[in-house]
Amino acid sequence: MTALSPELRLWDPPVTYRIGVAMGTHANPYSGELLRSIRAAAAQAGCDVTLADTGDTASEEDSLVRALRADLVDGVLLVPSTGGEAVINGLVRMGVPTVLIDRVAARNDVDQVGTENVHAVASLVRHLVEGRNRKIGLISGDESLDISRERVRGYRLGLEQAGLRYNRELVECGLSTSGGAARATAKLLDGWPSPTALVVADESMLVGVQYEAHRRGIRIGSELAVVGYGDMEWARRVSPAVTTLAQPVADIGRRAVQLLLSRMADPDRPPETVSLTPRFLHGASCGC
């Protein structure tokens, strides 16, 4: 018979938490990778995961978060939708262990994990300046999102660091959609001064920029430099490949699970915001 150590407490089962994940599964190209990372990190910690697809709308998000709470999850990982502040406020007010993912908000009462935006976008602008571009435009994202505003600040910081003046005529909002970005690109290219380079604030809008440039017969990389934010497989397959900043999606998912476990273990610890550094991926779309 095998002797067991008296220190082993066989009557104590492993602690298992139930984690609710609320996100728009088709809202971003990297949603699948993010969810896989969350599930892997949760499984390693002995936790179960329940997914609720919010459709990236505030109304659906509210009802699904309520359903998760009714299902007695121990904590929530939330990719907040536009206009979803009321949902976040409710979770904080009820003391539900919560971590916001990706769309980091300008608040200090909840744990958050996302990607650094300001200095990252500034580096894209400086890269374009090094390629001898001076008329650098910006296709900005949904103005209601904090990350969109941060990326605008990064664009302005990059211009300042390069000794260039900010020109409002070189900035158009693409609404964080491909269609909105196509319209914004058309407006910039038809305006004055017409940009020689574009910074595109997210991956969804890169599709619209590509479409409008090809519709006009403009050769990206030689006639129009384009850089963007995001890590899309298609962006590395098109010709020319797109110069982008790749979000560390897997790291974001793992770190979010770690933060949630820490919050559930110690509900009174100060909220933490984690900003991870994106990875620069060079392609020929920037013209160099």
Side-chain angles (χ1 to χ4, degrees):
M1 179 181 294
T2 302
L4 297 178
S5 168
E7 286 81 24
L8 292 177
R9 302 178 59 187
L10 299 181
W11 53 89
D12 284 347
V15 175
T16 300
Y17 292 114
R18 298 190 64 205
I19 297 174
V21 178
M23 61 188 294
T25 56
H26 301 291
N28 293 299
Y30 55 80
S31 296
E33 182 183 357
L34 178 62
L35 184 57
R36 287 192 296 273
S37 175
I38 289 171
R39 282 177 166 155
Q44 189 174 15
C47 299
D48 294 327
V49 171
T50 300
L51 173 65
D53 184 358
T54 66
D56 207 33
T57 64
S59 57
E60 189 71 9
E61 180 177 283
D62 181 49
S63 63
L64 286 173
V65 168
R66 290 176 183 271
L68 286 173
R69 289 296 298 144
D71 200 30
L72 300 179
V73 295
D74 298 294
V76 173
L77 297 177
L78 173 65
V79 179
S81 63
T82 304
E85 282 293 308
V87 175
I88 302 171
N89 292 338
L91 290 168
V92 172
R93 185 173 59 252
M94 291 185 293
V96 179
T98 302
V99 177
L100 305 186
I101 305 177
D102 182 39
R103 296 172 180 172
V104 175
R107 53 193 305 160
N108 58 8
D109 58 350
V110 63
D111 292 310
Q112 308 183 76
V113 182
T115 312
E116 199 284 321
N117 292 295
V118 178
H119 294 285
V121 173
S123 71
L124 284 179
V125 175
R126 293 196 306 273
H127 182 75
L128 289 171
V129 172
E130 290 169 2
R132 299 185 179 180
N133 290 286
R134 293 296 180 268
K135 293 183 290 184
I136 301 172
L138 172 69
I139 307 295
S140 61
D142 188 328
E143 295 173 345
S144 67
L145 295 174
D146 288 308
I147 60 170
S148 295
R149 294 191 286 270
E150 286 183 355
R151 291 174 188 176
V152 172
R153 290 202 299 273
Y155 167 76
R156 299 190 66 157
L157 175 63
L159 293 176
E160 180 183 338
Q161 291 172 337
L164 298 178
R165 295 183 61 183
Y166 171 78
N167 185 344
R168 180 63 186 83
E169 299 303 314
L170 287 171
V171 178
E172 286 294 333
C173 180
L175 303 173
S176 296
T177 66
S178 58
R183 292 188 292 272
T185 303
K187 189 170 182 179
L188 286 177
L189 294 176
D190 289 337
W192 182 261
S194 182
T196 62
L198 289 176
V199 176
V200 186
D202 75 30
E203 51 271 282
S204 299
M205 296 191 297
L206 273 168
V207 176
V209 173
Q210 291 266 343
Y211 169 82
E212 184 60 24
H214 288 301
R215 189 183 73 83
R216 292 170 177 250
I218 294 175
R219 290 175 297 176
I220 290 177
S222 57
E223 297 176 318
L224 178 67
V226 174
V227 298
Y229 205 112
D231 183 15
M232 309 74 58
E233 186 176 353
W234 67 262
R236 296 189 293 275
R237 295 178 180 272
V238 296
S239 181
V242 184
T243 296
T244 64
L245 291 172
Q247 293 174 282
V249 177
D251 290 340
I252 289 173
R254 285 192 293 269
R255 193 71 181 92
V257 172
Q258 292 168 0
L259 267 186
L260 188 61
L261 292 173
S262 296
R263 171 62 55 197
M264 291 187 290
D266 182 7
D268 297 323
R269 69 171 182 78
E272 184 177 352
T273 295
V274 176
S275 295
L276 302 176
T277 303
R279 186 174 79 260
F280 181 78
L281 297 178
H282 184 265
S285 70
C286 58
C288 62

